[in-house]
Amino acid sequence: MASGTAASMLTQTYRDALDRAQTQVNALVLGKAHEVRLAFVALLSDGHILIEDLPGLGKTTLAHALAATVGLKFQRVQFTSDLLPADILGVSIYDTTRQAFEFHPGPVFTQVLLADEINRAPPRTQSALLEAMAEHQVTVDGVTRALPAPFFVIATQNPVDLSGTYPLPDSQLDRFLLRLSLGYPGEDAERQLLAGTDRRQLIAGIAPQFGDGEFDAVRAAVPQVHASEALIAYVQALLARSRRHPGVRVGLSPRAGLALLRAARAHALLLGRTHVVPEDVQALFSHVAAHRLVIDADAGSDAAAAKSILHSVPVD
């Protein structure tokens, strides 16, 4: 079966479920349809999300609603300065009855992990997530254990309150497929929030929108979405431009290009297409690229640099 045909059949079969899922999450995270779509893009393409935002703007609601809607197990870890790697990965405890060590898995053994205020934990604890995010496995006491599939991390950090925090190293940032911000809700959405039912009660009452194996089938269709040679050349041109753009000290790696293509395929599938178009790349570029760029101190923000790179590369 041709890849385009397979993706087309999957799109037609599960389109209603995808639409229902996005509608359900949008009913809980009001006024943030673009950000909800980005969350589904990351989940469908086996990526992770870093949300930089102030407290109380719906980051936890988004993570919990996404897990409940897709039917995935959810865990939340509040990162603090005294959090240890074992608090995330788990620990082996000696069982005197069996006279052997027994492994007690930590909260990372889930499908959706909310790593709240990840930059408040020291680098050693942050690095405990590196193998999990990159390889979907963890190694404790020399034993490697696979994580459930899918495994999806939503990490948050406060961009304003940086006292007592540890900036994420480039190697950790590169493991996040997308970086986004929710921002304050619009006036109408905020009024609905203030006048409506508590989000936690609403999430407790929602039902998964995918049957057994359906979401796995949709995820399997993402790599089958076609990206033409011209589209790949466009992505390559963006990578090349990032490496010689004024104010950028370190541009995008080939891994960033692969991440951009993977996300663009998921974005196209969510919109009901079996092929990627430049608009998919353009909609995602800043979210995929900005946090991977290393810019000069006087060059402004990484988001501004990513936007400038995108505007400087024409679509042939």
Side-chain angles (χ1 to χ4, degrees), residues 19-37 39-40 56-71 74 182-186 188-209:
D19 287 344
R20 289 195 309 269
Q22 291 179 86
T23 298
Q24 182 162 277
V25 177
N26 278 317
L28 295 162
V29 185
L30 300 177
K32 300 297 176 184
H34 177 63
E35 289 76 12
V36 167
R37 181 180 294 165
F40 274 95
L57 296 182
K59 300 183 292 293
T60 302
T61 300
L62 173 60
H64 207 164
L66 193 68
T69 294
V70 180
F74 173 80
L182 293 178
Y184 289 108
D188 292 341
E190 188 168 31
R191 183 164 303 206
Q192 290 183 57
L193 283 169
L194 294 175
T197 306
D198 185 272
R199 300 291 104 178
R200 288 172 295 185
Q201 295 181 28
L202 292 176
I203 292 172
I206 65 176
Q209 297 302 308

Side-chain angles (χ1 to χ4, degrees), residues 24 41 57 72 75 95 100 103-104 112 136 145 155 158 184 189 204-205 222 233 246 283 285 305-306 308 311:
Q24 182 162 277
V41 164
L57 296 182
L72 303 176
Q75 289 279 0
D95 186 336
F103 179 70
H104 294 256
V112 177
H136 292 192
R145 297 175 172 87
N158 186 335
Y184 289 108
V222 171
F285 182 75
S308 178
H311 290 163

Side-chain angles (χ1 to χ4, degrees), residues 42-239:
L43 184 55
L44 285 172
S45 50
D46 288 329
H48 310 287
I49 290 180
L50 176 64
I51 304 179
E52 290 187 345
D53 225 326
L54 300 172
L57 296 182
K59 300 183 292 293
T60 302
T61 300
L62 173 60
H64 207 164
L66 193 68
T69 294
V70 180
L72 303 176
K73 292 183 289 185
F74 173 80
Q75 289 279 0
R76 175 182 178 178
V77 177
Q78 182 66 47
F79 278 59
T80 59
S81 59
D82 59 351
L83 192 72
L84 299 175
D87 296 327
I88 302 171
L89 304 181
V91 63
S92 295
I93 298 177
Y94 189 74
D95 186 336
T96 55
T97 303
R98 297 174 52 232
Q99 294 189 346
F101 283 95
E102 181 178 352
F103 179 70
H104 294 256
V108 75
F109 286 87
T110 188
Q111 292 175 302
V112 177
L113 175 68
L114 175 61
D116 215 357
E117 295 189 290
I118 188 173
N119 58 335
R120 295 206 172 276
R124 181 186 176 195
T125 303
Q126 291 179 15
S127 66
L129 276 178
L130 272 176
E131 183 185 13
M133 293 172 66
E135 307 295 339
H136 292 192
Q137 64 183 32
V138 297
T139 302
V140 180
D141 297 332
V143 179
T144 299
R145 297 175 172 87
L147 295 172
F151 175 68
F152 180 49
V153 174
I154 298 181
T156 74
Q157 58 182 9
N158 186 335
V160 176
D161 183 12
L162 299 177
S163 176
T165 63
Y166 303 85
L168 297 178
D170 292 341
S171 58
Q172 183 92 9
L173 287 172
D174 195 45
R175 295 308 191 272
F176 290 101
L177 177 68
L178 304 171
R179 186 185 70 182
L180 59 91
S181 173
L182 293 178
Y184 289 108
E187 184 176 344
D188 292 341
E190 188 168 31
R191 183 164 303 206
Q192 290 183 57
L193 283 169
L194 294 175
T197 306
D198 185 272
R199 300 291 104 178
R200 288 172 295 185
Q201 295 181 28
L202 292 176
I203 292 172
I206 65 176
Q209 297 302 308
F210 294 92
D212 290 343
E214 287 188 346
F215 191 71
D216 289 337
V218 176
R219 288 173 57 229
V222 171
Q224 301 172 20
V225 175
H226 179 66
S228 67
E229 291 295 328
L231 192 284
I232 293 174
Y234 176 52
V235 170
Q236 188 174 20
L238 289 168
L239 300 181

